[in-house]
Amino acid sequence: MTKSKWSILFVMGMAVGALCGIALAKNPTNAGPEDAPIRFPLPPPRPLSAEEELQTFKVADGFEIQLVASEPLVEDPIALSFDGDGRMWVAEMRGYMHDIEGKGEDQPLGRIKILSDTDGDGRMDRASIFLDGLLMPRGVMVWRDGAIVAEPPNLVFWRDSDGDGKADEKTIIANTYGTRGGQPEHMANCPTFAMDNWIYSASHNMRFRMVGGKWVSETTRARGQWGLSQDDLGRLYYNYNSDLLRADHVPAQYLARNPNFLAAGGVNVKLMADQSVWPSHQTPGVNRGYSPGTLRDDGTLKSVTATCAPGVYRGDLFGAEFRGNVFIPEPSANLIKRVIVDDADGMLSARNAYKNTEFWTSTDERFRPVNCYTGPDGALYVVDLYRGVLQHKAYLTNYLIKNILDRNLEQPVNRGRIWRVAPKGARAAMVKVQRDPALLEHTNGWVRDCAQRMMVERPDAKVARQLEKMVGGSKNAAARLHALWTLQGMGKMESGIALAALGDSDA
């Protein structure tokens, strides 16, 4: 056989191999039409620097967006957790979807990184690696002298025993936390410390806490897909990628105590009927963009398709009308929605804060907000994965594969940004948190949560006596509630205290 024929066969084999690879890297049961035309075709978007991306943002009147961190200081961020010193612990999923075949996902590229703002200007300027060599980590939560890290199939407490800023002691909390590697869309993620002293996760039916120096677990209901939050009363909020917001009206364990009566209401309550979104630019690159009704006539996404990580705003910086609002990322539409939650005698419902527009939009197709948090300074912090490929290979459609390849969206990877949203002119002023019961009176819910967690981590008899006085003496209902739960978490709750609290003037 001649050299030219070998060359032709080689090229043909490479092409067939590439096509076979694409055929494997997509939804095996619902990949859509084989060759659907791209609707509203657009030229390949240019990857932007963080400063350029900032210019594509439009935010609600009275607010401004500030850059907190970007590559190379942080790469592929998917979740974060603040510690009592205001440092930011970030989970980096650096192996995620380097191309449509999922290249990188079998490599231990993930990290937990600690970001610090050494000069107090609100922008992180120093990064250190707390832990590396992780395979597709799914979350991080500060705990004692280290962090709880979600790396399926394990949920692990990694301790820094010698104070050098690096993990050196490993305690497995659970080894049934999802499966190793695999797609992240329907697997346990984002461990979150709740007011009842249990650690909950999205998309997982177990909860965890430390009792008497040992980790214990308990069955609970699985909640949502990605991300988890709570309000000032400790009610949990979550969502699904095509359902903006759900919540538990009451703690799920109370509905499961009687095996002969399985209550159907009160948990996993859908709070919104309206699932519409209003992007600020055409969004043809969504997984079901070929399907009638997915895109409007102007090329914008009509209803949510990648909703995740609702963040209840509990800060003291935005104003009273924002307290208890929920900010919800829609990364496929490159936006963050604000919804107002109404509470009528414990029954929750939610509605869009704006008509035919959103709190925050971007015209940059690589703006991928995937988590929202209230920060120590009362601002809203947003994790931006920043990449062209968002959908995991397990669910890619032929339409989206075509859009990704035609528009050069596979690269670059290993970028990422973290943004701060605040009223115009409001500068960052981080609150340092200690094991101080007085901080349970703070107007920022994050500060109260952090103070409670730190007191529960290291029970102290003197602190317990202060908390007992707060239960009966504080004029702040939120402080009294936190004090009760903190006592319970410390193992210091006396029956008399609990019985007296039943007569509290605030329901």
Side-chain angles (χ1 to χ4, degrees):
M1 189 176 292
T2 65
K3 184 177 180 180
S4 60
K5 287 182 179 180
W6 273 116
S7 300
I8 293 171
L9 286 174
F10 176 78
V11 171
M12 289 175 62
M14 290 292 288
V16 170
L19 288 172
C20 290
I22 293 173
L24 290 173
K26 65 183 178 183
N27 192 316
T29 59
N30 189 16
E34 284 290 335
D35 194 27
I38 296 176
R39 302 184 64 197
F40 309 98
L42 299 173
R46 180 174 64 87
L48 303 181
S49 68
E51 289 72 20
E52 291 173 322
E53 184 189 9
L54 182 60
Q55 301 306 311
T56 72
F57 295 158
K58 180 181 179 182
V59 69
D61 290 344
F63 290 88
E64 63 180 344
I65 301 170
Q66 301 151 2
L67 179 64
V68 177
S70 64
E71 69 283 349
L73 207 66
V74 65
E75 298 176 17
D76 296 306
I78 50 96
L80 63 81
S81 180
F82 287 99
D83 66 19
D85 292 323
R87 298 184 303 172
M88 186 182 287
W89 298 55
V90 182
E92 297 182 327
M93 194 187 283
R94 297 171 69 240
Y96 184 70
M97 293 295 289
H98 288 189
D99 58 23
I100 58 173
E101 296 298 317
K103 182 180 178 182
E105 292 192 1
D106 60 347
Q107 301 299 313
L109 303 174
R111 301 187 296 207
I112 304 299
K113 190 176 281 181
I114 304 174
L115 304 183
S116 304
D117 173 13
T118 61
D119 57 10
D121 66 351
R123 188 161 175 169
M124 300 296 168
D125 49 50
R126 186 174 68 190
S128 62
I129 296 174
F130 174 74
L131 179 66
D132 61 7
L134 299 173
L135 186 69
M136 299 283 283
R138 311 296 163 85
V140 60
M141 192 198 96
V142 170
W143 180 262
R144 296 191 68 162
D145 49 359
I148 293 170
V149 177
E151 186 195 13
N154 296 323
L155 185 67
V156 181
F157 171 47
W158 282 98
R159 184 184 175 214
D160 172 14
S161 65
D162 56 9
D164 67 351
K166 297 185 181 297
D168 52 38
E169 187 178 300
K170 178 181 181 180
T171 301
I172 295 179
I173 300 171
N175 59 7
T176 55
Y177 198 81
T179 57
R180 182 171 172 81
Q183 57 83 19
E185 191 170 327
H186 298 282
M187 199 179 295
N189 64 83
C190 297
T192 302
F193 181 80
M195 188 181 287
D196 65 2
N197 304 302
W198 286 92
I199 296 167
Y200 295 86
S201 301
S203 194
H204 194 50
N205 67 345
M206 299 296 292
R207 61 179 188 167
F208 310 91
R209 70 182 294 179
M210 181 170 278
V211 178
K214 294 183 178 181
W215 289 103
V216 299
S217 63
E218 183 176 288
T219 301
T220 184
R221 69 161 291 113
R223 295 172 176 86
Q225 281 188 242
W226 182 270
L228 196 64
S229 190
Q230 69 172 351
D231 65 14
D232 283 344
L233 299 181
R235 292 176 295 200
L236 297 174
Y237 290 72
Y238 42 96
N239 58 17
Y240 301 87
N241 56 21
S242 296
D243 190 344
L244 278 165
L245 191 61
R246 297 203 172 210
D248 292 348
H249 284 161
V250 294
Q253 65 270 21
Y254 296 147
L255 302 179
R257 287 183 296 189
N258 184 349
N260 299 308
F261 174 74
L262 298 178
V267 295
N268 196 31
V269 178
K270 186 173 183 174
L271 302 189
M272 296 186 68
D274 182 5
Q275 303 294 323
S276 61
V277 287
W278 301 93
S280 59
H281 68 127
Q282 291 182 327
T283 54
V286 294
N287 211 25
R288 304 288 170 190
Y290 62 86
S291 179
T294 298
L295 302 176
R296 296 186 180 91
D297 291 341
D298 64 359
T300 59
L301 184 67
K302 184 177 181 180
S303 300
V304 295
T305 185
T307 301
C308 58
V312 179
Y313 180 73
R314 302 173 59 209
D316 49 4
L317 196 62
F318 284 16
E321 69 272 25
F322 285 84
R323 185 176 292 276
N325 289 188
V326 183
F327 292 90
I328 308 173
E330 216 312 348
S332 282
N334 319 116
L335 60 82
I336 291 180
K337 179 180 283 290
R338 172 193 167 203
V339 304
I340 299 170
V341 176
D342 297 309
D343 186 342
D345 298 323
M347 300 295 288
L348 302 172
S349 61
R351 52 192 166 90
N352 289 318
Y354 310 100
K355 184 177 181 180
N356 298 353
T357 188
E358 304 292 358
F359 176 76
W360 175 359
T361 62
S362 173
T363 55
D364 185 356
E365 192 167 352
R366 288 181 171 83
F367 172 54
R368 304 295 195 185
V370 294
N371 247 312
C372 290
Y373 305 88
T374 303
D377 60 345
L380 180 71
Y381 286 79
V382 173
V383 177
D384 174 9
L385 185 59
Y386 201 79
R387 52 167 50 236
V389 178
L390 176 69
Q391 180 69 61
H392 189 263
K393 64 179 182 179
Y395 299 102
L396 282 169
T397 61
N398 291 303
Y399 171 88
L400 186 53
I401 290 172
K402 184 176 182 180
N403 186 82
I404 290 168
L405 295 178
D406 283 0
R407 302 182 58 231
N408 301 334
L409 291 171
E410 286 182 294
Q411 299 298 321
V413 295
N414 298 137
R415 295 192 180 190
R417 289 90 198 249
I418 297 169
W419 305 98
R420 176 181 185 265
V421 189
K424 288 182 177 178
R427 308 326 304 173
M430 293 294 184
V431 177
K432 291 202 173 185
V433 180
Q434 298 175 327
R435 295 191 300 280
D436 182 358
L439 288 174
L440 299 182
E441 307 248 32
H442 203 281
T443 51
N444 183 350
W446 179 89
V447 174
R448 298 195 301 273
D449 289 351
C450 185
Q452 175 180 328
R453 174 182 58 78
M454 293 175 74
M455 288 184 279
V456 168
E457 288 171 348
R458 293 180 173 87
D460 180 90
K462 181 180 178 181
V463 169
R465 290 193 293 272
Q466 293 175 279
L467 291 168
E468 290 173 8
K469 292 179 181 179
M470 180 173 283
V471 169
S474 176
K475 295 181 180 179
N476 184 316
R480 298 196 299 273
L481 180 62
H482 274 281
L484 284 165
W485 277 118
T486 305
L487 283 168
Q488 193 266 357
M490 295 169 66
K492 302 292 185 181
M493 175 65 77
E494 302 290 341
S495 59
I497 298 171
L499 289 170
L502 292 176
D504 196 285
S505 60
D506 190 293

